[in-house]
Amino acid sequence: MTAPRSLQWRISLWLGLGVALLWGLATVATAQRLRHEMNEVFDSALEETAQRLLPLAVLDILGREEGDTSQRIVTLREHDEYFTYAVRDNRGGMLLRSHRADDSVFPPFSRMGFVDTPTHRVYFDAALQGTITIAVAEPLAHRREVANEALLGLAWPLALLIPASLLLVWVVVRVSMAPITNLRTGIEARGSGDLTPIPAAGLPSEIGPIADAVNHLLLRLSRALDAERSFTANSAHELRTPVAAALAQTQRLIAETKDADSRERALQIERALQRLSRLSEKLMQLARAEGGRLRGRETTDIASVAKMVVDEMVRKPGMTGRIIVDVPETPVPAGIDADSFAIVLRNLVENGLKHGPPDRPVVIALSGDGMLTVSNEGPAVPPDLLSRLLQPFERGRATAEGSGLGLAIVNTIATGTGSRLILTSPLPGQQSGFEARFAAPPPKLEGLAEKSGEKRPASSVESAL
């Protein structure tokens, strides 16, 4: 038998088995005691019957006429006769017997008191200095029958009481474990980025210290993660200014230099600085995604955010016809911060533009329930690489330039908002292509229909672009 892993079930099981065992032992002890008391009552009845019958039998025998030596008592009506008796003289001759008495049941008189035979319990008594004896017999089967009926009457309540006790134990344990269950449920319901202290009020004294220790651990972990994120964000932010200055100087150098070799080296420096600028921007986005606060306090119309992001991207040189967008004209409410959704959409589109053919468009579709789909043509990605693409700096087998952070940022935002990112390759019904689906979390607040039409200020969204 495998022990249950649940503490609640373990306590209920062992307490229930313990209660059932105690009830069983109590039943056995009660049965033994009851059988002993019943034997004493039956023995007393045998003795009382013999002592009442013997004087009457002596008077009857002494008053008989000479020659009338044996007599069987005739019953007035048929009935169950559990006691039978026989009165004999000192030579064993039968003087008087009950109407159903069997002579073979009564052994010869040896002494006054009780004698057991294989089938009967017999009590002997004597009068007139042992010249007249009486033997009263009771079948042992009758005693067993009465004892079994009494024990059966005792067992029926126990048969109901034991399951009731087990149920009561389970209910008491379940109620007692309710604070622990609530603590577990509260922890399980948290998002992966929620490191706020868990409520420890109302917990049993045995569990309270564990909750306090977990809160101390969460506090230390939160500080460590905040320090790491702050370092990443600050490093990326501080890197932007010198990189921008170096890029400006490099572009000026390109414009002023006349030497072809120097100009080519300056162009290489410009490309490297541009990659470094994009990398710092991605690192800042990743730090923001890992820092939490991704769900908006108010409902966000992600349809208007998607239109704003796409309009900004298509204005760039060389983007004509590269993006096809299908966004509902009606508001699409979602429980995600507008900046976070803009980062998601921009990274998914940039991923499709980098890894798809330059002559084929990236298709953006947003459904009314908040499902964002971004797809592009290109070689199919093997299944073993799809899950790895969600890891930071994982570029798979791609040859295009990139940092390998785009999908990792989107996946981090999806995890932090309680939504999901699904990668599919090839495209459904085709042999090639790549598709990313981001399910925006539903809004939390009431009155979403009224709030879904509100737009965030353009500066807030554009800051994420």
Side-chain angles (χ1 to χ4, degrees), residues 110-410:
S110 58
R111 60 180 177 84
M112 295 175 59
F114 292 95
V115 175
D116 288 328
T117 68
T119 59
H120 287 72
R121 175 83 165 167
V122 184
Y123 177 76
F124 286 100
D125 208 342
L128 301 179
Q129 299 181 353
T131 58
I132 296 178
T133 62
I134 185 172
V136 182
E138 179 192 11
L140 296 178
H142 173 245
R143 292 196 176 193
R144 288 192 294 268
E145 181 182 355
V146 173
N148 292 337
E149 290 180 356
L151 294 177
L152 185 60
L154 180 64
W156 274 114
L158 288 178
L160 299 176
L161 187 59
I162 290 179
S165 300
L166 297 178
L167 179 61
L168 179 62
V169 167
W170 182 81
V171 171
V172 170
V173 171
R174 184 177 180 85
V175 172
S176 302
M177 296 284 288
I180 303 176
T181 303
N182 294 336
L183 175 65
R184 182 198 66 187
T185 304
I187 295 176
E188 290 178 346
R190 288 168 171 245
S192 59
D194 188 357
L195 298 178
T196 57
I198 59 177
L203 291 177
S205 58
E206 295 84 0
I207 305 298
I210 298 179
D212 293 337
V214 171
N215 284 334
H216 289 308
L217 177 61
L218 289 176
L219 179 60
R220 294 195 300 268
L221 182 59
S222 178
R223 289 174 178 174
L225 291 177
D226 288 343
E228 179 182 349
R229 292 163 183 163
S230 177
F231 175 79
T232 303
N234 292 335
S235 300
H237 181 74
E238 293 298 329
L239 193 61
R240 296 175 68 182
T241 301
V243 169
L247 183 59
Q249 293 296 329
T250 302
Q251 290 173 346
R252 182 178 179 182
L253 179 63
I254 294 174
E256 294 178 352
T257 186
K258 302 302 181 180
D259 182 68
D261 293 338
S262 299
R263 184 181 179 85
E264 179 61 28
R265 285 194 292 269
L267 289 174
Q268 293 177 0
I269 296 174
E270 180 187 24
R271 289 192 292 270
L273 289 174
Q274 289 174 343
R275 287 196 299 269
L276 183 58
S277 178
R278 290 192 295 269
L279 177 60
S280 65
E281 186 67 30
K282 295 296 183 183
L283 290 175
M284 290 184 63
Q285 292 180 359
L286 182 61
R288 173 186 171 84
E290 293 178 343
R293 299 179 295 276
L294 301 174
R295 302 203 65 162
R297 295 183 178 180
E298 296 183 354
T299 302
T300 301
D301 178 16
I302 58 177
S304 62
V305 176
K307 294 176 182 178
M308 190 179 304
V309 172
V310 173
D311 289 343
E312 189 273 340
M313 296 186 73
V314 297
R315 286 198 298 265
K316 293 183 178 181
M319 295 301 297
T320 304
R322 292 299 312 277
I323 299 177
I324 299 177
V325 61
D326 181 13
V327 178
E329 296 298 329
T330 57
V332 179
I336 185 174
D337 180 71
D339 294 341
S340 300
F341 184 77
I343 292 174
V344 168
L345 179 57
R346 187 174 184 86
N347 278 280
L348 291 180
V349 174
E350 288 180 351
N351 183 76
L353 292 173
K354 288 179 182 178
H355 302 290
D359 57 341
R360 300 302 299 272
V362 174
V363 180
I364 304 172
L366 180 64
S367 63
D369 58 356
M371 177 63 74
L372 173 66
T373 304
V374 179
S375 59
N376 60 271
E377 291 291 340
V381 180
D384 60 322
L385 288 181
L386 281 179
S387 59
R388 288 165 45 192
L389 292 178
L390 301 179
Q391 302 298 323
F393 303 104
E394 177 61 52
R395 303 182 65 250
R397 301 174 183 175
T399 57
E401 292 185 358
S403 59
L405 288 174
L407 293 179
I409 293 171
V410 176

